[in-house]
Amino acid sequence: MSRILVVDDEPQILRALRINLVARRYEVAVAPDGGSALREAADWRPDLVVLDLGLPDMDGLDVIHGLRGWTRVPIIVLSGRAGNQDKVDALDAGADDYVTKPFGIDELLARVRAVTRRTAVQEAELAQVLIGDHVVDLIGKTVSGDVRLTPTEWHILELLLRNPGKLVSQRQLLTEVWGPTFVRETNYLRQYMAQLRRKLERDPAHPVHLITEPGMGYRFKP
């Protein structure tokens, strides 16, 4: 994990975190409000987000919901809200950890390392996935049986495999793969899912792993 997006409206905190994270060889981008944070996340694709909840243009919970609409990037909340309900709300919205201000930089860095380790374990667990007669290696980007996938097919398949059993909405897939201006192009998904089934399912006409949820999205069934 090397790219961290820091979202906070306090310039001193942004400066201090940038200095400390860069000194530890992280790449750092900063955003002073929720709107720029969502745009930066979509354009820069960070490996982790450090997020303040008290932003000038929107609540940090809305930023978490916005991110979770299309990405599972780890989120560490950094907030002056110390109430238990605030922590519960943030974690329920999809945050991975919660640090209360004022904070020590050593504690925050330890939280970053802990989230990094958990993410690495999850990545390892999902490294190889069985679909029909094929083993999909998400790290090596290979499929057994000499199956070749296009970059777009890989992107769609990876989103599904990293959310086993969960519905991945059409909007999420279209936004993540093609961008937010393509959310109505559901025909793209039908075409590429058909291609993936032909390459991976034993019986493409009756798939058992790459499942369509009509009108909603798609699901990978292990």
Side-chain angles (χ1 to χ4, degrees), residues 73-89:
V73 62
I75 300 171
I76 297 177
V77 167
L78 187 63
S79 177
R81 304 177 189 175
N84 285 337
Q85 190 58 50
D86 293 310
K87 297 177 182 179
V88 169
D89 290 344

Side-chain angles (χ1 to χ4, degrees), residues 67-72 155 159-160 163 166-179 183 189 216-218:
L67 290 170
R68 285 293 173 256
W70 62 273
T71 179
R72 300 307 304 169
H155 203 164
L159 284 169
L160 294 173
N163 294 278
K166 298 179 181 178
L167 173 69
V168 182
S169 70
Q170 294 175 345
R171 176 180 288 271
Q172 180 179 346
L173 285 164
L174 288 166
T175 300
E176 175 72 3
V177 178
W178 285 278
V183 293
L189 292 175
M216 295 186 292
Y218 300 88

Side-chain angles (χ1 to χ4, degrees), residues 161-209:
L161 297 191
R162 292 191 184 282
N163 294 278
K166 298 179 181 178
L167 173 69
V168 182
S169 70
Q170 294 175 345
R171 176 180 288 271
Q172 180 179 346
L173 285 164
L174 288 166
T175 300
E176 175 72 3
V177 178
W178 285 278
T181 60
F182 289 83
V183 293
R184 297 185 182 274
E185 308 298 335
T186 55
N187 58 304
Y188 288 11
L189 292 175
R190 288 194 296 272
Q191 175 186 340
Y192 278 94
M193 288 301 296
Q195 293 172 192
L196 283 169
R197 286 168 179 149
R198 283 197 296 270
K199 293 180 178 181
L200 299 174
E201 292 274 8
R202 289 174 179 167
D203 182 356
H206 301 90
V208 297
H209 297 290

Side-chain angles (χ1 to χ4, degrees), residues 120 123-124 126-128 136-142 154 158 162:
E123 291 285 328
L126 291 172
Q128 294 191 334
V136 180
D137 184 339
L138 292 176
I139 295 178
K141 298 291 186 184
T142 60
W154 267 113
E158 186 168 1
R162 292 191 184 282

Side-chain angles (χ1 to χ4, degrees), residues 31-86:
D33 54 58
S36 58
L38 291 172
R39 290 191 295 272
E40 188 71 24
D43 293 340
W44 195 54
R45 304 299 173 94
D47 299 305
L48 183 142
V49 176
V50 177
L51 172 68
D52 182 22
L53 293 183
L55 300 172
D57 60 337
M58 67 175 70
D59 193 276
L61 291 177
D62 294 327
V63 177
I64 297 175
H65 287 301
L67 290 170
R68 285 293 173 256
W70 62 273
T71 179
R72 300 307 304 169
V73 62
I75 300 171
I76 297 177
V77 167
L78 187 63
S79 177
R81 304 177 189 175
N84 285 337
Q85 190 58 50
D86 293 310

Side-chain angles (χ1 to χ4, degrees), residues 124-153:
E125 291 174 347
L126 291 172
Q128 294 191 334
V129 182
L130 181 65
I131 300 181
D133 299 320
H134 302 285
V135 176
V136 180
D137 184 339
L138 292 176
I139 295 178
K141 298 291 186 184
T142 60
V143 182
S144 65
D146 201 30
V147 173
R148 297 285 185 265
L149 300 183
T150 68
T152 301
E153 289 170 346

